[in-house]
DNA sequence: AAGTGGTCTAGACCACGTC
DNA sequence: ACGTGGTCTAGACCACTTC
C-alpha cells in the first residue's frame, strides 16, 4: 500500500465515520502533509482521487469540503454487440435489412440539420436468435464514406467505431412497447416490453450518427458494478 | 490552456488522426517530455487523463499503447428520486405502503445469508402521480437502526444514503412487464412496460441493502452525456 | 489583499513485467 | 536483467475567489 492509498483510506474512513460529516471543511493540504508526514503532492493525489469519486469538493480559497451525497454514480459500459455476444461464449450473427440514402426529412428529431443521410436497419443475432435491432442514421456530410459503404458484412455500429472518432455521446435508456419493426424483426409480440438504447454521437459539436438499439426485454439487461469508492 | 491540456489535445489529435492507430506504441515519457519541452510529470498527467478516458493503456516495460476501442463508456448518475423530481420543478410525494421485519426466507436471491431483514414497500409520487415503486430489503444485521425506524416520512432510499456509507454498488437495468405490485401501485395495465433498476449495495463486502425500483415505461428514462473525451 | 488549491519542475528511487 | 511506467519529494510560482 502506497502512502497516497493509505492517506486516501484514512480520509475515507473519517468521512464514512462522520468524523468529517457532510459540509465539513478539511484541513488544508499543507496541514494534511504535516499530519501524514508526506509531501504536499502526495496529499493532493489522495484528495484528487476522492474528488473523482464525488466524495469531496475543492475550491480555491474556500478549501476542501465533504460533499452531501445526493446520487449514485456508476460507469456504464456498452460494448460493441458482437463482442458482448462472443465474450459470453455465444455465436454472433449479423443481417442487413435495409440501407438507403435519404434526405433530411427522415431526421424526425432535427438532429442533423439540412444534410443527406444514410439510413441503415440491421439485426444482430445471438446463437441465431434476434438479439438487437439497430436502426441507424449517419450524416453523409460528416462521414462521406458512409454514402457508398454497403454494410453487408460489417454493422454500422462496428464500422463507425473503427472509422469515426467521437468526442461526445448522449445516451438515453428506456423501456417501451415493441414497435412494428421490433415485432417483425426481434420476434416479439405486440405490447411485449423492449429495452431501448438511444444514442447520438458528435465530434467537435458536429453530429455524426444517431442509433436506436432495441432488445427484447426478457433477453437483455445492463449490469454495472462500482467497487471500492 | 495549460501545458498538460495542450499535450493531451495533441496526443488525442494524433490518435483520432490515426497518426497513432490502435495498437501503436507511443514514445516513452522522457521522449515526449523532450518533444513538448516540459517536465516528465506534465507528460504523465496528460497520459493519465487519456488512460482514464480509456484511449490508451500503459504497462511497465511494455510501454504505452493506443487501445482498440471495443465499447462506449459513460457515467451513469442515478439521483435520489426526490431530488430528481424537485429539480425538474415538480412536486414530490411519498407514501409508505408496508414495512415489516422478516426472516431470511424473503431473500429469494440469497444475497444476505441467514440474517433478519427489514422489508419496505413504498411509492414515490411526481405531482401526485405514481412515479417510482421502491421494493426494498435492508439487512438488520448490517444496519441495526433499520429494525425500528418507521420510514413513515422518510424513504429508505434517502434514509440509507444519509445513514449508511457504501463501498460497492451493483446495478442492473432492464425492461419488463408490470408485476402485480406494479399494476396496483404504479397504475399501469397488465403487460405495460416498466423500467426496472435493481440495485444492491455493500460496505466492505457486507451486503447492506437490495432494492427493486420500478417505473412506468412511458414516464421514465435515463439520460447520460459524455463530453470531450 | 490574502489564502487556498492548481500547475509545473527536476530529480531520486522503486517495482513490475517483458525480454 | 533491465527498461518501462509508477511513486514521491521539495520547492517555485500561478490563479481563482472569497474575505
Amino acid at each position: 500500500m502506497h502512502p497516497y492509498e493509505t492517506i486516501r483510506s484514512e480520509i475515507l474512513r473519517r468521512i464514512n465515520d462522520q468524523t468529517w460529516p457532510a459540509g465539513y471543511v478539511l484541513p488544508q493540504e499543507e496541514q494534511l502533509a504535516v499530519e501524514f508526514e508526506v509531501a504536499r503532492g502526495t496529499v493532493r493525489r489522495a484528495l484528487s482521487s476522492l474528488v473523482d469519486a464525488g466524495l469531496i469538493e475543492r475550491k480555491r480559497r474556500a478549501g476542501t469540503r465533504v460533499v452531501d451525497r445526493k446520487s449514485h454514480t456508476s460507469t456504464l459500459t456498452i460494448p460493441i454487440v458482437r463482442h458482448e455476444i462472443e465474450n459470453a461464449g455465444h455465436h454472433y450473427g449479423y443481417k442487413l435489412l435495409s440501407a438507403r440514402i435519404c434526405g433530411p426529412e427522415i431526421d424526425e428529431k432535427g438532429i442533423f440539420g439540412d444534410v443527406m443521410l444514410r439510413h441503415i436497419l440491421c439485426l444482430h443475432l445471438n446463437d441465431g436468435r434476434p438479439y438487437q435491432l439497430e436502426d441507424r442514421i449517419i450524416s453523409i456530410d460528416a462521414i462521406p464514406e458512409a454514402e457508398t459503404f454497403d454494410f453487408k458484412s460489417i454493422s454500422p455500429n462496428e464500422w463507425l467505431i473503427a472509422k469515426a472518432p467521437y468526442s461526445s455521446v448522449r445516451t438515453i435508456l428506456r423501456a417501451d412497447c415493441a414497435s412494428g419493426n421490433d415485432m417483425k424483426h426481434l420476434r416479439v409480440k405486440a405490447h411485449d416490453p423492449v429495452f431501448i438504447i438511444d444514442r447520438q454521437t458528435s465530434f467537435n459539436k458536429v453530429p455524426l450518427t444517431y442509433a436506436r438499439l432495441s432488445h427484447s426485454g426478457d433477453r437483455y439487461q445492463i449490469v454495472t458494478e462500482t467497487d471500492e469508492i
Side-chain angles (χ1 to χ4, degrees), chain A residues 73-113:
Chain A
T73 67
S74 30
T75 301
L76 181 66
T77 303
I78 302 182
I80 290 185
V81 62
R82 180 164 70 82
H83 296 115
E84 182 181 354
I85 290 171
E86 289 175 349
N87 287 342
H90 297 131
H91 178 73
Y92 171 76
Y94 169 70
K95 201 162 115 186
L96 178 66
L97 300 170
S98 73
R100 56 195 184 114
I101 294 169
C102 307
E105 69 281 356
I106 62 154
D107 174 21
E108 294 164 11
K109 308 191 182 180
I111 296 167
F112 295 97

Side-chain angles (χ1 to χ4, degrees), chain A residues 15-215:
Chain A
I15 293 172
N16 283 337
D17 266 348
Q18 317 255 344
T19 305
W20 290 348
Y24 181 85
V25 177
L26 272 63
Q28 65 194 60
E29 293 180 347
E30 289 286 8
Q31 291 178 33
L32 290 171
V34 171
E35 178 189 341
F36 291 113
E37 300 178 305
V38 294
R40 188 182 151 218
T42 305
V43 169
R44 278 191 63 72
R45 175 144 191 204
L47 293 175
S48 299
S49 149
L50 293 169
V51 168
D52 292 344
L55 297 173
I56 58 174
E57 274 176 350
R58 323 194 68 193
K59 266 188 224 154
R60 282 160 151 130
R61 173 94 205 202
T64 302
R65 281 175 180 277
V66 178
V67 162
D68 189 8
R69 287 202 252 179
K70 291 194 166 62
S71 59
H72 272 280
T73 67
S74 30
T75 301
L76 181 66
T77 303
I78 302 182
I80 290 185
V81 62
R82 180 164 70 82
H83 296 115
E84 182 181 354
I85 290 171
E86 289 175 349
N87 287 342
H90 297 131
H91 178 73
Y92 171 76
Y94 169 70
K95 201 162 115 186
L96 178 66
L97 300 170
S98 73
R100 56 195 184 114
I101 294 169
C102 307
E105 69 281 356
I106 62 154
D107 174 21
E108 294 164 11
K109 308 191 182 180
I111 296 167
F112 295 97
D114 190 23
V115 298
M116 293 303 284
L117 301 168
R118 190 88 207 251
H119 179 227
I120 293 114
L121 187 69
C122 61
L123 188 65
H124 304 269
L125 303 128
N126 183 344
D127 281 343
R129 297 196 317 170
Y131 183 75
Q132 179 188 86
L133 180 66
E134 176 176 352
D135 187 338
R136 182 171 299 264
I137 296 172
I138 304 173
S139 163
I140 293 177
D141 201 49
I143 311 176
E145 303 97 308
E147 182 167 8
T148 52
F149 192 79
D150 69 8
F151 299 105
K152 278 181 185 159
S153 55
I154 297 179
S155 73
N157 183 330
E158 207 157 335
W159 184 78
L160 282 163
I161 284 201
K163 201 78 191 171
Y166 54 86
S167 58
S168 78
V169 188
R170 181 188 165 88
T171 306
I172 299 178
L173 308 175
R174 56 199 179 86
D176 204 347
C177 285
S179 71
N181 269 338
D182 293 334
M183 289 191 285
K184 190 161 150 193
H185 300 112
L186 285 178
R187 304 248 179 91
V188 295
K189 287 174 296 224
H191 303 300
D192 273 2
V194 290
F195 190 104
I196 297 173
I197 302 174
D198 264 323
R199 190 192 289 151
Q200 182 188 333
T201 70
S202 309
F203 186 63
N204 296 336
K205 309 272 182 190
V206 178
L208 302 176
T209 175
Y210 165 83
R212 175 188 185 273
L213 310 171
S214 57
H215 319 72

Side-chain angles (χ1 to χ4, degrees), chain A residues 1 4-14 46 50:
Chain A
M1 196 122 160
Y4 86 89
E5 292 174 304
T6 312
I7 294 168
R8 200 198 117 110
S9 299
E10 174 55 20
I11 293 175
L12 191 53
R13 193 189 63 71
R14 293 180 193 177
L50 293 169

